[in-house]
Amino acid sequence: MADLGVRLAGVALRNPFLLASGIWGESGASLSGAWNAGAGGVITKSIGSTPRPGYPNPTIEVYETWGLLNAMGLPNPGIDEYPREIEAARRAGATVIGSVFGGDEEEFARLAHQIEATGVAAVELNLSCPHAEGFGTEVGSEPEDVERIVRAVVRSVRVPVIAKITPNAADPAGLAEAAERGGAAAVSAINTLRALAIDVTLRRPVLAHGLGGLSGAAIKPVGLACVWQIYRRVKIPVIGVGGIRTGLDALEYIMAGARALQVGTAITFGGVAVFGRLNQELSDRLDQLGIARLEDAVGAAHAAHL
Ligand SMILES: Cc1cc2nc3c(=O)[nH]c(=O)nc-3n(C[C@H](O)[C@H](O)[C@H](O)COP(=O)(O)O)c2cc1C
């Protein structure tokens, strides 16, 4: 059986499949549930300075075959309440990565420092939510902003800093380069794609917020393209995310250059049991191709590409 263990920016993962931020990560119990089901690590929902209720409903539209459209509005209990959930997940043995969002570099640095105190293995910066005013893409679409925020966070914590990049920019790989210049230990790509659905009877957008973010199978080719381009332009590891549902999807991302992966929407549809299946399918795929270690497949598609 192929070895699925990977080292990601100094953090040893038992397998490459991380629970993506914002899905199934509300509580210590749900984070532990993903870990117990076989995730290689779990990323918390993105936490901000103060509690946020999120946007009014409807916040999600489900497309059975190809994914979700969401505008949750970053609901979260705030940094003062959430750490106890992280502590519960850590007591269950989970490798936990803390995700934070802020409006400027000071807020990101402070939140990262606070979440580090809970013993997380790394901090991921949500620089990429497409529908939260004052946060996300509003602070993560320009390379100078990404570099400045990442640099401020790197100065305020000891754990590895992961920058989560938006695909809603002219040059996502340029944002990854900026994160690397700022001292990021890894980049995650991608967050959701800005998207819209219209209710023609009501003559208004389906989601209460209007614009939302698209995730799931539909965005896999976009995520793959971003990972492919980023891998060619940075030296730090890339975490692939977007539409991973099967071991084959996972191996595509790995061969495009991802060293680890995140899984979100597939869990909404299949529950955390998806992690066990993904591990098995990826291992089988590697065995079929005669690849003994997952790490040997990272970026493999670039070698044959002119
Ligand atoms: C309902 C929902 C909530 C999300 N919340 C967050 C979040 O809080 N922070 C974040 O960085 N990404 C968030 N995301 C983005 C996911 O982590 C992931 O990048 C995206 O959904 C693509 O992966 P997938 O196709 O496997 O879902 C959210 C996605 C969904 C569908």
Side-chain angles (χ1 to χ4, degrees):
M1 192 170 150
D3 178 5
L4 296 185
V6 282
R7 281 195 81 75
L8 180 80
V11 180
L13 301 176
R14 61 183 181 178
N15 68 63
F17 296 108
L18 304 169
L19 175 70
S21 180
I23 295 125
W24 207 279
E26 301 78 42
S27 67
S30 57
L31 291 168
S32 315
W35 172 258
N36 292 334
V42 293
I43 305 180
T44 70
K45 64 189 301 161
S46 293
I47 303 298
S49 298
T50 51
R52 277 172 66 98
Y55 297 137
N57 284 324
T59 52
I60 278 216
E61 175 77 346
V62 177
Y63 302 101
E64 293 289 335
T65 48
W66 46 270
L68 299 174
L69 177 65
N70 95 84
M72 308 296 291
L74 293 170
N76 79 98
I79 192 69
D80 293 333
E81 289 299 318
Y82 194 75
R84 72 185 65 162
E85 308 301 340
I86 299 179
E87 279 147 23
R90 289 193 59 237
R91 275 198 303 279
T95 300
V96 183
I97 295 172
S99 169
V100 294
F101 70 93
D104 58 29
E105 64 268 34
E106 279 90 32
E107 191 174 16
F108 267 104
R110 186 171 41 74
L111 287 164
H113 185 68
Q114 281 175 274
I115 215 161
E116 180 186 38
T118 65
V120 292
V123 178
E124 184 178 82
L125 310 182
N126 182 354
L127 296 161
S128 41
C129 181
H131 53 71
E133 280 81 30
F135 305 107
T137 44
E138 289 195 13
V139 294
S141 294
E142 298 295 334
E144 314 79 75
D145 295 339
V146 168
E147 183 177 345
R148 198 180 60 251
I149 291 169
V150 171
R151 178 163 292 123
V153 173
V154 167
R155 285 196 183 126
S156 77
V157 298
R158 289 164 186 234
V159 292
V161 175
I162 302 166
K164 187 164 178 183
I165 300 296
T166 179
N168 303 307
D171 181 20
L175 299 176
E177 285 178 324
E180 183 175 53
R181 280 197 302 276
V187 287
S188 301
I190 54 177
N191 208 314
T192 52
L193 280 166
R194 187 179 299 115
L196 178 70
I198 298 286
D199 183 324
V200 295
T201 311
L202 297 177
R203 302 178 192 213
R204 50 155 295 155
V206 170
L207 302 183
H209 179 259
L211 293 171
L214 188 66
S215 62
I219 72 167
K220 188 186 83 171
V222 181
L224 279 170
C226 286
V227 168
W228 172 273
Q229 290 184 307
I230 292 170
Y231 180 79
R232 288 176 167 240
R233 286 174 47 189
V234 303
K235 294 199 172 56
I236 53 178
V238 187
I239 304 173
V241 48
I244 296 173
R245 294 185 295 177
T246 66
L248 181 57
D249 297 332
L251 192 49
E252 281 189 73
Y253 266 101
I254 288 160
M255 289 193 173
R259 175 164 290 271
L261 307 162
Q262 297 177 17
V263 184
T265 299
I267 293 164
T268 305
F269 290 122
V272 285
V274 163
F275 284 110
R277 179 174 58 73
L278 284 170
N279 276 304
Q280 189 59 54
E281 288 179 4
L282 178 58
S283 176
D284 290 347
R285 288 274 172 192
L286 291 170
D287 287 347
Q288 283 160 16
L289 293 169
I291 300 170
R293 294 176 342 127
L294 177 72
E295 297 208 329
D296 296 337
V298 175
H302 290 265
H305 180 78
L306 296 176

